[in-house]
Amino acid sequence: MINWRGGCFLDLKALLNKEQYEGAVTVEGPVLILAGAGSGKTRVLTHRMAHMIEDLNIFPYKILAITFTNKAAKEMKERLNLLIGDLSKNIQVSTFHSFGLRLLRENCDVLGYSSNFVIMDSDDSLTVVKKIIKDMGFDPKVYNPRAIRNKISSCKNEMIMPSDYEKYAVSDYEKIVLKVYEKYEEKLRKNNSVDFDDLLLLPIRLFRENTDILNRYQDRFKYVLVDEYQD
């Protein structure tokens, strides 16, 4: 059979087992594929995207595929390329962090950053925390910089900003952590920098505070597929 581009429709029944086939052809509405390692979850996702494009005439740029690691994203792109060739280049396939970075690059002015903002890695952020602790005159043996940096990271992953953390800062130690957190955020803003956790935190803030931007991306990406969802 010939599809809209003059090629052949995918014979998914021949390519997938029964359960995989059901997951691949169910396109509208939410779908959860729960299976063990090596059972073909990524295979279902890639064939599902290929089916959407080749058989259902869905434009590739309407699809967003998110996974957890760069290795997994690369593998997904390679599998898609084998299935649909150059059309796969028009699908947004990326990790959570790299897609977050794209959102920040495209909307940095709304968040108060200039377009040349810098991304700090874990070593950079630890250096900043060490300097803050030193400048504030605290003993790093008591207020361990790595432990405080990890606490700040945990807060960001829980969407807890300094103003939110204030209500949890009951002990003297927690109050110092709060002060370091506040200084840390001030330093990042002053230096036009974001850390790795901000690549997840700031896009959520962007969407929550700007419904027009959220609506634009929702209209752009009509189909969102998440691999390694448990991570």
Side-chain angles (χ1 to χ4, degrees):
M1 295 179 66
I2 304 301
N3 66 14
W4 64 289
R5 294 189 305 107
C8 295
F9 283 106
L10 294 172
D11 187 0
L12 292 181
K13 286 188 176 180
L15 295 170
L16 306 171
N17 64 35
K18 179 184 176 183
E19 290 76 16
Q20 291 171 341
Y21 175 81
E22 290 178 358
V25 298
T26 306
V27 173
E28 298 300 330
V31 177
L32 173 63
I33 298 174
L34 189 63
S39 57
K41 296 186 295 298
T42 302
R43 180 177 176 82
V44 172
L45 285 183
T46 53
H47 281 75
R48 187 175 191 238
M49 286 184 276
H51 167 64
M52 291 162 67
I53 294 166
E54 293 283 10
D55 303 338
L56 303 182
N57 298 349
I58 293 170
F59 292 113
Y61 63 80
K62 288 287 186 180
I63 301 172
L64 169 63
I66 297 288
T67 188
F68 198 70
T69 66
N70 289 322
K71 180 181 178 182
K74 182 175 182 291
E75 180 184 349
M76 195 181 296
K77 290 177 183 178
E78 291 171 348
R79 291 192 187 189
L80 281 168
N81 184 61
L82 289 174
L83 287 169
I84 58 175
D86 287 343
L87 277 175
S88 63
K89 297 177 182 178
N90 297 316
I91 302 175
Q92 177 68 39
V93 180
S94 58
T95 64
F96 287 96
H97 288 91
S98 60
F99 183 63
L101 175 58
R102 170 182 170 167
L103 293 175
L104 298 190
R105 292 291 185 200
E106 293 177 351
N107 302 279
C108 56
D109 55 327
V110 178
L111 292 165
Y113 295 90
S114 62
S115 58
N116 62 339
F117 67 82
V118 176
I119 305 168
M120 300 195 311
D121 62 21
S122 57
D123 290 336
D124 294 330
S125 61
L126 180 58
T127 298
V128 172
V129 170
K130 284 180 178 178
K131 189 175 188 310
I132 291 171
I133 292 173
K134 180 180 178 181
D135 291 346
M136 295 179 73
F138 297 125
D139 185 352
K141 293 181 180 179
V142 178
Y143 301 99
N144 183 276
R146 190 176 298 277
I148 293 179
R149 192 280 309 274
N150 291 343
K151 181 62 178 179
I152 291 172
S153 177
S154 295
C155 285
K156 288 192 172 189
N157 280 297
E158 295 294 331
M159 298 290 294
I160 300 173
M161 299 308 295
S163 57
D164 303 310
Y165 185 68
E166 189 172 1
K167 61 187 175 185
Y168 302 109
V170 178
S171 68
D172 290 340
Y173 179 85
E174 290 168 336
K175 290 177 181 178
I176 298 302
V177 172
L178 172 60
K179 289 181 180 180
V180 175
Y181 190 5
E182 290 172 336
K183 293 287 186 182
Y184 177 80
E185 288 297 289
E186 290 173 9
K187 192 79 170 177
L188 263 60
R189 178 70 65 172
K190 182 180 179 181
N191 293 338
N192 193 38
S193 301
V194 298
D195 62 22
F196 205 56
D197 296 309
D198 286 329
L199 299 182
L200 300 181
L201 173 66
L202 292 177
I204 295 174
R205 180 184 143 200
L206 175 73
F207 287 154
R208 284 182 174 177
E209 297 177 0
N210 302 274
T211 54
D212 57 328
I213 294 176
L214 172 61
N215 291 336
R216 188 170 77 238
Y217 283 100
Q218 286 179 328
D219 183 63
R220 164 72 188 278
F221 297 112
K222 290 290 188 181
Y223 303 90
V224 180
L225 297 86
V226 182
D227 197 12
E228 302 296 342
Y229 187 83
Q230 72 278 4
D231 292 326

